[in-house]
Every structure is written in structure tokens, then in C-alpha cells.
Amino acid sequence: MFAASSLFFAVACTTVSSGEDGGGGAASCAFAVRFRGELYTRVQHADFTVSDELGSSRRTLCEDTGEGSSDGTAGTETYATYRIEELDSGTAVAVRDTPANVGRRDRLNLYVLQLDGGPPDEAKKFLDEER
């Protein structure tokens, strides 16, 4: 369980350098989408089976820094979203977004539902399994 929790924390919080401050970092938005009104965040995982297309998800706006996209397009991009066989779509989905998942031939990324207490237990268990 610790490994999955660590994995989610590493994905949900990223650091970027502005290049102007000598390499100091600042918090940045996680890769996240809204699907059926819920927030899903990307996790680094390549071993899942894709099923039928569910519709589309929408990229989220940057909410943790108070900054949005300077070109006004943040939150308007939509991505094809697919069911995965191992988990219910209310727990996780596969999304065709960028950057693509180079660990998979279909280039899809795995996104997991984020609740107030973090990801659902089913998602943690799935990510911890030796596959």
C-alpha cells in the first residue's frame, strides 16, 4: 500500500524550474482530467488492458498555483477516454492525451479517480500487484 501511495504522491505533485532562479522549483499542476464530473490524475503504469471507448475527458485548469494557460486554451482540450478491463470506470480510465505513454504501443495513459482521501483502495491494490 505504501508503494501505491508513494506513486500517487509523486505523480500528483511535480516540480518545475523557471530557469531564472538558479534551479529552484515551484509546485505545478498534476496531469489531470475531468471525466463524468470527477477528477482523475495520471499515474505511471503501463500494464492495463483497454476496452471500449467511453467518451471524452477534459483537461483540468491549473488550480494549485492560481495560474491558468497564458493562451486561454487550458481546460478546453478534450481527450478520447477508454474503459480498462481491470478496474471500473468509476475508479480508473485510459486517456489518449499528451505526452503519450511511451511504455505502451497504443500510447494511452492510466488515470485514477482522486477522492478527498486520495485514490480508491481498488486502484491502490491494482497498482501494487506484481503483473
Side-chain angles (χ1 to χ4, degrees), residues 103-125:
R104 290 183 55 90
R105 175 174 280 155
D106 60 15
R107 316 281 280 177
L108 293 169
N109 287 295
L110 182 66
Y111 279 75
V112 175
L113 176 68
Q114 289 300 301
L115 304 170
D116 288 338
D121 289 338
E122 304 87 56
K124 291 177 188 176
K125 182 180 176 185

Side-chain angles (χ1 to χ4, degrees), residues 29 32 41 63 71 78 117:
C29 291
T41 57
E63 297 172 355
D71 64 6
T78 58

Side-chain angles (χ1 to χ4, degrees), residues 23-68:
S28 178
C29 291
F31 287 100
V33 296
R34 288 250 175 230
F35 176 67
R36 297 183 178 163
E38 299 291 337
L39 180 67
Y40 288 71
T41 57
R42 185 189 302 170
V43 296
Q44 297 294 326
H45 194 72
D47 194 11
F48 56 92
T49 308
V50 178
S51 186
D52 55 320
E53 186 170 349
L54 297 170
S56 63
S57 55
R58 182 173 303 279
R59 182 175 154 218
T60 62
L61 294 172
C62 184
E63 297 172 355
D64 60 350
T65 63
E67 299 174 13

Side-chain angles (χ1 to χ4, degrees), residues 66-109:
E67 299 174 13
S69 172
S70 61
D71 64 6
T73 62
T76 61
E77 296 97 341
T78 58
Y79 305 111
T81 303
Y82 302 86
R83 178 181 323 277
I84 66 165
E85 291 182 7
E86 293 84 357
L87 293 168
D88 180 81
S89 62
T91 301
V93 293
V95 177
R96 185 174 312 283
D97 66 338
T98 56
N101 183 349
V102 296
R104 290 183 55 90
R105 175 174 280 155
D106 60 15
R107 316 281 280 177
L108 293 169
N109 287 295

